[in-house]
Each structure stands twice: as structure tokens, then as C-alpha cells.
Amino acid sequence: MIARILTPGSTLGIVGGGQLGRMIALAAANYGLKVHVFAPDADSPAFDVAAQTTIAAYDDAAALRAFVGSVDVVTYEFENIPRETAEILAAGAPLHPSAHALATTQDRLAEKTFINDLGIPTAPFRAVDSGDDLDRAIAAIGRPAVLKTRRFGYDGKGQRMIRAEGPVDRSAIMAEFGGAPLILEGFVRFEREVSVVAARSADGSFAAFDLCENEHRDHILAVTRVPAAGIAPETARSAIDIARRIAEALDYVGVLAVEMFLVREGGSERVVVNEIAPRVHNSGHWTIEGALTSQFAQHVRAVCGWPLGDAARTGGMAVEMHNLIGAEADGWAELLARPGAHLHLYGKGEARPGRKMGHVTRLIP
Amino acid sequence: MIARILTPGSTLGIVGGGQLGRMIALAAANYGLKVHVFAPDADSPAFDVAAQTTIAAYDDAAALRAFVGSVDVVTYEFENIPRETAEILAAGAPLHPSAHALATTQDRLAEKTFINDLGIPTAPFRAVDSGDDLDRAIAAIGRPAVLKTRRFGYDGKGQRMIRAEGPVDRSAIMAEFGGAPLILEGFVRFEREVSVVAARSADGSFAAFDLCENEHRDHILAVTRVPAAGIAPETARSAIDIARRIAEALDYVGVLAVEMFLVREGGSERVVVNEIAPRVHNSGHWTIEGALTSQFAQHVRAVCGWPLGDAARTGGMAVEMHNLIGAEADGWAELLARPGAHLHLYGKGEARPGRKMGHVTRLIP
């Protein structure tokens, strides 16, 4: 891919107006770029820090065309962008990451097939489009297992457990999903969850942040710790190498995150890929203070055709990032007073349960 | 002064749309605040990162009233705000720093008198309103000396040297300034220029960043180094104590900078105050990466009635900040590629000579 190099003063288009778009916009502003945010909700947090905004639905072709005509490069903050939307965007300006990267990663079946084809392990999986498929998939994979929609799931939404014991009421289960294409995924007995947040440029250069260890609660990321503790350096290197191979195979431009399970069997340690996020990622928020280049700055650099920044940790310090979910953000005053706590709030109105309202990062000398 | 504590989601008003306003706005956004920027120029860099903008002249009373009616607290990025403007603002919302702090610091005569009244040394000075005053001032202070406008000077503008030798054509000199009130300041034989950037809250708490050493070129800040090298700890402490006394005497709320000369006489070292900037300051830009709390975040905390953050240096590292003046910003591509260089660009259009276009910070482990 030929890099198109933007000059400061150019306009970066961002599709999606949540906290990820907002933090990309803040990083872009730091480089003197103008930002145009496209999002359907007038209340979008990213609008507050954008030079231009468009309020329109993701399937509003005319609005998409006008938007993309006003920007020099376009990116997005979430992977659930319809294919038609991505095509309109890509027709109007360089789209990074590409429509191909989106198509591959927004469908769990395409994604896992792509990963396995690279010789990289995932949980066992089978496509499920009917009750018969479900029976066959359970026979092949065993129970417990997780049945998921192939597309448009996030934070544990669009999935349900198939327990190890008891009857499987296949009609009831299939009805729950209302005919959406599904995938059955086997369980991986993992010790912990880790992720690699990394960037790749159009010229093929690649830079990964240190391996992150992630703790989830109720399917939502709660804590990220870096470096991941008690993991052999060669395991961390192999995790980063997996991310590099995935990015190369996608001819990827921008920041991506690869979520993985750390599996310990006998005396040996290995990683199994869970999923790819073709975007900046919650497990990379620690990089704002914790790394020499934040994931947001790195993403901006990659999509602008600029050299990637140094991904090393700030002063070699360890870093801990806690999400503020729902009412946890009500503790902002105490967090502001906590020595060494870097508080980030996303400017969202209502602190609904499960809603990511902010995060707090601490560097540990 | 009673602290009024804002909640995240509140709106911070910023008067002035340059790079300082822009960086305050970015820091405010990080805390989930909305920002409303008031500036006369449609091209203002701070507009690009503000949720709301008002384009109007600083003496447009109706626009000022509408603006201040839309915000929860109001601050500014420059001290040359007319008294009437400050009064309109203060009538509509809490104004931090106060109109009194502005009035004291925007007039060189009032400022130096105030500082001397605290028992803090400055260069010798005399008010000059006529040719006779100029003669008397030269007789008292000696030559060389600098004749300056009392108000509205910055970056070396509004001043001229009175040389040590040769005739003094007092009518020609007075005519140059067109009748503006003036001040003659004696020279201080200084070894180097230093500054204290510090914050004070309404509750009286105070936090100073480490003493900065500043290098000017053509009257414009070129480089800031922290910590200031080769200065005794007690000198640095006394410099910070001076800033604390000034902030207390002004009942100051927000970040201020005190520019000082380091004077070495015989074996002893002391500081002499040059001027007070009642705002965030160029010599504090290094704090974005170099301190646990940036000067911009600290200013936001102070004006919102929040606890001040930790002003310690990140990982105890030394920091160097270089301004990018005029065409120096054309080197952005090389700076982006330089390992460990934190590049900031302000989104200004034309790189005119002497214009501050950005800065670059490096942490030195």
C-alpha cells in the first residue's frame, strides 16, 4: 500500500462519536489536525472536541458522502460499521483501517477462519445457522460452549452459554437469536486474558505496546495491568508476533488490538487468540500516560502516513488502568484527590450501569 | 475565597483562542468538561477543540454577557483583557484568576509596586509619563535601561532600549510611544532566566512545578529546561516561595507563572522577579508529559474548585521543551520521527516569523 502523507492542518474524519473517537480527536488536535466526527447521536462525547460534526445515521449515504468529501483521511472508532457504509467512505477518502480489515474482523466466523489460516490458534468453532448445525457443532466442540451472533456483538452482548450439563433446547435457543447467523465457540481453559495493542503503517512498519493483562467483570474490561505479570518474555514476544502477523496479513494501517487467552498446560505457556479489534482499544488506554506515544497518537500517526512513535513505557514504569463503569464515575472527586491518579472522564451524560464513563491510570515507579 | 466546586459535565468558559486556550480546552475535555471559547478571530486554534464558540470582539458587551451566561466558570489565556471586559465576565460567572489579579499584573507599574511591597526584589523602575519623567528616571536608575509601555506588551513588543552611551533624544523617544503610559526599568545583570509555574486553589492550597530554566531568542522563549541546572536547592525553594507569596497576596485561583532573573554576586545566588503572568505559561508546556499533572490540567482543577494534582516530575526525569517558532514548525516530519520527541502543533495556519506554531518536549531518563 502506498502511504499518503498528510500535513498538519489536514482534516481527519472519525466515524463514531464515543470515548474512543473523542480520545482519537484529542490526540489529533495535539498534532495540529482538524477533526470531523460523524455520529448519529447529537449527544456524542466526541462532538465536544471536534472542529466539525455531522449528525446522521450510519446508513445515510448522502451525509456519508458529504462527510468524506470534507476530510483528508477517514478512520473509525468501532468495528460494527456496515459494509455499504465502509464502501461509501473508502470511495471518498483513504479509509484506515481498510474495508477489508473491517469485513474480516466484524464477522466472528470470518475472523476466526482468517486467524486459523495464519496457523494461529483460536478456540474451536463452528458456524451455526440452524438447529441441526447447533447439534453438530456441540458434537464436534463439546460443552460447555458459547453461542454468539457472528456480527455486532460487544461487551458480552449477543451471546449465551451452552452449559456442560442438562438438556439443550435447540429450538428455544435458536429462537432467542431470531435467525441471526451464529457461531458456536468452545471454551478455552485460560489462566488469564491478555491483549496486544499495536500499530502498523502503510509502509509496513510495526510497533507494539507491551503485553497487557486484562481483568473483566460482567464481560466488561475492568482493569488492565502492564506489563502482564508472571509471563515468560518469550510468551510475550510470541503474542506480539501473532499481532504482527495478523496486521501484515490484513495489510493493516492503524492501531489494532488482539485479545488473547493465556493458557498454561503442564509446564508450558501459550496464547490463543480470542478476537481482533480493528481500532484503538480499551486495554490501550494506559498508554496515554504510560507510554511514550499513546495508542491514540499512534493511530493518528499511522492513518496520516506518519512514522510510528516509540511504544516503550514511560520511564520503564509499570502501569495500571481501571475503568470507571456506571456509578463508579461518581467517585471522581476522590480520584481527583488521589496522588498520582490520572483521571479521564468522557463527558457522557448519564452514568447508566455498564456504561464506560471514564478511566483512571496510575504509573508505578 | 469560597471554592465553588464544579461537577464534570459543567462548562468552562475560556477567553482567548490561541494555543494556551486550546491546551486548556484539551485538558478540560480530559476531565469530561465542556468548553466554550470566546475569541474575536474565526480562525482561533482553540475553536477546533471547543464544544461551543463565540466569535466577537473583547469589548462586545452583549456577546460577553451571552457567553458568560452559558458557562459555569470563566478563565482566560492572556492577561491583556480590558478592565471592563473582566468586570462583565466577573458579573456573570466566577472569574479565575480574578479581575484584581488581572488589574495588578497587566500594568507593569502596578505589578512591580505590588511585588516590591511584598518585600520581593525586582529591577529598579520609575513611571514615565513625560520627557521630564524620563530624565528623572534615567538619573535615578542609570543606563542602560529599558523603556516599556505599562500595559499590553508581550514577547518584547512595546519596549525599546535606552543605551548606556550617547545622547538621549527624549522627545523622539516619547513620540515613539505616542503618549502611552510608560515605565523605565533598570537592567539586572543576570546569569540566566528562570520561572516558577505554580497553582493556587480557592482553599489556599498551593502546588509548584520544579523551577524552570528558560532561554530566550529575540525576546521569545526558545527552550525550557527542568530542573534548572547548577542552582542551589535553597535558591529554587526561595523562588517557589516568592511565587507562593505572590499568589497568596493576590488571593489567586489558577495557574500563574513568575518569571525571574537568577543573579550571582560574589559567592551568592538570588532571584529577582521580572514579571508575573496570571495564566498558564509557555515555560510550563513541558508539564504535559514531564509532570504528573500538566499545568493545563492543574489550571482546570484550580478554577473548578478541585484538589490540585501532584506537580512532581514524571518518573523524576529531567525535561527539555523547545518552542517551534515560525518556520521551525516546517520540521514537523523530522520531529515526528525523532525517538522520544513529543511533538505538539497548535493548528495555526500560517507559519509567520516569530509566531509560536508548536513545541516539542523530551524526557531525559
Side-chain angles (χ1 to χ4, degrees):
Chain A
M1 187 177 286
I2 305 296
R4 175 171 169 189
I5 298 170
L6 265 66
T7 51
S10 300
T11 298
L12 169 65
I14 301 174
V15 178
Q19 68 269 19
L20 299 181
R22 181 177 169 108
M23 289 187 275
I24 295 170
L26 293 172
N30 180 58
Y31 287 134
L33 294 162
K34 292 184 190 294
V35 168
H36 187 163
V37 173
F38 185 109
D41 186 348
D43 236 12
S44 297
F47 283 172
D48 287 347
V49 294
Q52 283 177 270
T53 60
T54 296
I55 307 172
Y58 292 127
D59 61 359
D60 181 337
L64 287 166
R65 281 195 200 97
F67 163 72
V68 80
S70 79
V71 305
D72 297 294
V73 64
V74 61
T75 189
Y76 44 86
E77 61 148 20
F78 69 114
E79 59 271 43
N80 291 329
I81 290 181
R83 169 182 286 272
E84 300 72 26
T85 304
E87 282 165 1
I88 294 171
L89 294 173
L95 173 69
H96 299 305
S98 69
H100 170 64
L102 265 177
T104 307
T105 57
Q106 71 186 191
D107 180 314
R108 293 181 195 279
L109 184 66
E111 181 183 53
K112 286 195 158 58
T113 305
F114 160 75
I115 295 166
N116 283 181
D117 285 351
L118 293 174
I120 298 167
T122 62
F125 63 93
R126 287 292 184 286
V128 174
D129 293 315
S130 67
D132 284 349
D133 284 349
L134 180 57
D135 288 342
R136 278 190 293 267
I138 291 174
I141 291 172
R143 293 196 282 164
V146 193
L147 191 63
K148 300 179 177 178
T149 54
R150 280 171 51 179
R151 296 164 62 90
F152 301 128
Y154 68 98
D155 283 352
K157 294 182 174 67
Q159 53 183 271
R160 68 110 74 206
M161 278 277 293
I162 308 290
R163 296 186 192 288
E165 310 286 325
V168 174
D169 182 348
R170 61 180 232 183
S171 330
I173 291 170
M174 294 305 291
E176 262 178 46
F177 288 96
L182 304 177
I183 182 173
L184 188 73
E185 297 180 3
F187 258 71
V188 174
R189 276 175 207 283
F190 60 88
E191 185 190 276
R192 64 185 107 172
E193 295 171 274
V194 296
S195 60
V196 175
V197 180
R200 186 174 179 276
S201 287
D203 68 4
S205 58
F206 177 84
F209 296 103
D210 284 337
L211 187 68
C212 311
E213 181 178 340
N214 302 317
E215 194 182 310
H216 288 80
R217 284 176 213 142
D218 304 326
H219 297 282
I220 301 172
L221 182 67
V223 187
T224 295
R225 292 183 183 85
V226 186
I231 292 180
E234 54 270 27
T235 309
R237 273 198 298 273
S238 105
I240 287 170
D241 190 58
I242 284 171
R244 189 185 52 72
R245 285 156 61 201
I246 287 171
E248 278 177 8
L250 292 170
D251 196 10
Y252 195 89
V253 175
V255 162
L256 87 170
V258 183
E259 297 181 36
M260 305 177 190
F261 301 121
L262 181 80
V263 176
R264 207 178 288 279
E265 281 162 339
S268 88
E269 219 176 54
R270 64 189 182 95
V271 290
V272 170
V273 171
N274 179 26
E275 62 182 38
I276 303 166
R279 53 169 170 82
V280 292
H281 192 257
N282 196 166
S283 71
H285 290 1
W286 63 271
T287 59
I288 296 176
E289 294 88 10
L292 290 181
T293 308
S294 80
Q295 67 166 342
F296 304 102
Q298 196 73 301
H299 186 69
V300 170
R301 284 168 172 257
V303 304
C304 288
W306 296 346
L308 297 181
D310 192 335
R313 273 180 285 121
T314 305
M317 287 181 274
V319 192
E320 202 169 289
M321 187 286 307
H322 287 253
N323 269 340
L324 301 173
I325 311 283
E328 287 174 353
D330 297 345
W332 62 270
E334 189 276 320
L335 290 166
L336 275 173
R338 193 180 289 177
H342 297 281
L343 176 65
H344 298 258
L345 295 169
Y346 305 147
K348 294 183 179 179
E350 200 195 337
R352 291 193 296 271
R355 195 175 195 201
K356 291 174 178 170
M357 301 299 294
H359 71 269
V360 59
T361 301
R362 195 165 59 96
L363 274 56
I364 304 156
Chain B
M1 187 177 284
I2 305 296
R4 174 170 170 191
I5 298 171
L6 266 64
T7 52
S10 300
T11 298
L12 169 65
I14 301 174
V15 178
Q19 69 269 19
L20 300 181
R22 181 175 169 112
M23 289 187 274
I24 295 169
L26 292 172
N30 180 58
Y31 287 135
L33 294 162
K34 291 184 191 292
V35 168
H36 187 163
V37 172
F38 185 109
D41 186 350
D43 235 13
S44 297
F47 282 172
D48 287 347
V49 295
Q52 283 176 271
T53 60
T54 297
I55 307 172
Y58 293 126
D59 60 0
D60 181 337
L64 288 166
R65 281 194 199 95
F67 163 72
V68 80
S70 79
V71 305
D72 298 293
V73 64
V74 61
T75 189
Y76 44 86
E77 60 148 21
F78 68 114
E79 59 271 43
N80 292 330
I81 291 180
R83 169 181 285 272
E84 301 71 27
T85 303
E87 281 164 2
I88 294 171
L89 296 171
L95 174 68
H96 299 306
S98 68
H100 170 64
L102 264 177
T104 307
T105 57
Q106 71 187 189
D107 179 313
R108 293 181 194 281
L109 184 67
E111 181 183 54
K112 286 196 157 59
T113 304
F114 160 76
I115 295 166
N116 283 180
D117 286 352
L118 293 174
I120 297 167
T122 62
F125 64 92
R126 286 291 185 285
V128 174
D129 293 314
S130 66
D132 283 351
D133 283 350
L134 180 58
D135 288 343
R136 279 190 292 267
I138 290 173
I141 290 172
R143 294 196 280 166
V146 192
L147 191 63
K148 300 179 176 178
T149 54
R150 280 171 53 180
R151 297 164 62 90
F152 302 128
Y154 67 98
D155 283 352
K157 294 184 176 64
Q159 52 183 272
R160 67 110 75 207
M161 278 277 292
I162 308 291
R163 297 187 191 288
E165 310 287 323
V168 175
D169 182 348
R170 61 182 232 183
S171 328
I173 292 170
M174 294 306 291
E176 262 178 45
F177 287 96
L182 304 176
I183 182 173
L184 187 75
E185 297 180 5
F187 258 71
V188 175
R189 275 175 208 283
F190 60 88
E191 184 190 276
R192 63 185 107 172
E193 294 171 272
V194 296
S195 61
V196 175
V197 179
R200 187 174 178 274
S201 286
D203 68 4
S205 58
F206 177 84
F209 297 103
D210 284 337
L211 186 67
C212 312
E213 181 178 339
N214 302 316
E215 194 182 311
H216 289 79
R217 284 177 212 141
D218 303 326
H219 297 282
I220 301 174
L221 182 67
V223 187
T224 295
R225 293 184 183 85
V226 187
I231 292 180
E234 55 270 26
T235 309
R237 273 199 297 274
S238 107
I240 287 169
D241 190 58
I242 283 171
R244 189 185 51 71
R245 285 154 62 201
I246 287 171
E248 279 178 6
L250 292 170
D251 197 11
Y252 195 88
V253 175
V255 163
L256 86 171
V258 184
E259 298 180 37
M260 305 178 190
F261 301 120
L262 181 81
V263 176
R264 207 178 287 278
E265 281 162 340
S268 88
E269 219 177 54
R270 65 191 180 93
V271 289
V272 170
V273 171
N274 179 26
E275 61 182 38
I276 303 167
R279 52 169 170 82
V280 293
H281 192 257
N282 196 167
S283 72
H285 290 1
W286 64 270
T287 60
I288 296 176
E289 294 87 10
L292 290 180
T293 308
S294 81
Q295 67 165 344
F296 303 102
Q298 196 72 301
H299 185 69
V300 169
R301 285 168 172 256
V303 304
C304 289
W306 296 349
L308 298 181
D310 192 336
R313 273 179 286 121
T314 305
M317 287 181 274
V319 192
E320 202 169 289
M321 189 285 308
H322 287 252
N323 269 340
L324 300 174
I325 311 284
E328 287 174 353
D330 297 345
W332 63 270
E334 189 277 319
L335 290 166
L336 276 173
R338 193 181 290 177
H342 297 281
L343 176 66
H344 298 259
L345 295 170
Y346 305 146
K348 295 184 179 179
E350 200 196 339
R352 291 193 295 271
R355 196 175 194 199
K356 291 174 178 170
M357 301 300 293
H359 71 269
V360 60
T361 300
R362 195 165 60 96
L363 274 58
I364 304 155

